[in-house]
Amino acid sequence: MLLEFDVPRVMILFLLLAGPLFLAACDRETAPSGQAEPATGAESAKQGFGLESKSGLKAELSYRFAGRPAPDASFTGADGREVSLSDFAGRPLLVNLWATWCAPCKAEMPTLDNLAVLEEGEVSVIAVSQDLQGAKPVRAFFDSARIANLEPYTDPDNALSSAVGGTVALPTTILYNSQGKEVWRIIGGVEWDDAEIAKLLDEAA
């Protein structure tokens, strides 16, 4: 019985089981002061399914908020205009919430950039930075990583991440159907141009 184990064994068992969940998204220590905080592993795993890319990225697929309408929180386009998710109505929309200080966010971004091309005309793909510093670090990263197909949307007030529900870890990517209702969300990094992800995108049809 579990009660017969000594304390060290219980702690080792806990760490072995909990460790992978905490690695799915950025850890708290990487977020600048005042930045939107990543979720704990327990929160990201609720009603979730584990995903692991060939590159080693780990994530959780969650249907916890399925059916929830897209929020009307505004964020900023590359030209400084105010944007909201309703501006993309009429086709499925994939919204990636990320930041330049988040290692998994940066690791998956080139594949998200590829996905924008692969799904052109079928699914709108946008990446909205949660960096408190606004556009400057985002543009610098896009230039260095040669991100050419995504617009550098920014949300320095974290209004969008606050409005989507739950405790948002970075990266979090949410799929909305053409009616603006959430289908699923992925918490953590994945390879977005993978064939298995294409199957998940079909769920917005």
Side-chain angles (χ1 to χ4, degrees), residues 87-202:
D87 294 327
F88 302 91
R91 71 173 55 159
L93 171 66
L94 190 72
V95 182
N96 177 264
L97 302 175
W98 72 290
T100 60
W101 47 260
C102 170
C105 299
K106 294 190 291 185
E108 72 172 357
M109 193 59 64
T111 66
L112 191 71
D113 193 47
N114 292 340
L115 183 69
V117 176
L118 294 171
E119 295 294 332
E120 187 173 6
E122 301 294 330
V123 178
S124 298
V125 179
I126 65 172
V128 186
S129 164
Q130 303 299 292
D131 285 88
L132 297 177
Q133 297 84 1
K136 185 175 181 179
V138 177
R139 291 182 184 278
F141 171 71
F142 271 26
D143 288 344
S144 65
R146 298 182 180 180
I147 305 300
N149 305 301
L150 296 172
E151 182 172 341
Y153 292 106
T154 56
D155 179 25
D157 295 327
N158 294 175
L160 189 55
S161 61
S162 298
V164 297
T167 303
V168 176
L170 297 181
T172 286
T173 307
I174 304 174
L175 178 65
Y176 294 99
N177 62 23
S178 56
Q179 289 76 48
K181 300 294 181 64
E182 181 169 335
V183 179
W184 47 249
R185 63 181 61 186
I186 290 178
I187 305 99
V190 300
E191 293 176 4
W192 288 103
D193 50 2
D194 184 86
E196 293 303 314
I197 295 298
K199 294 178 184 178
L200 290 175
L201 292 175
D202 288 344

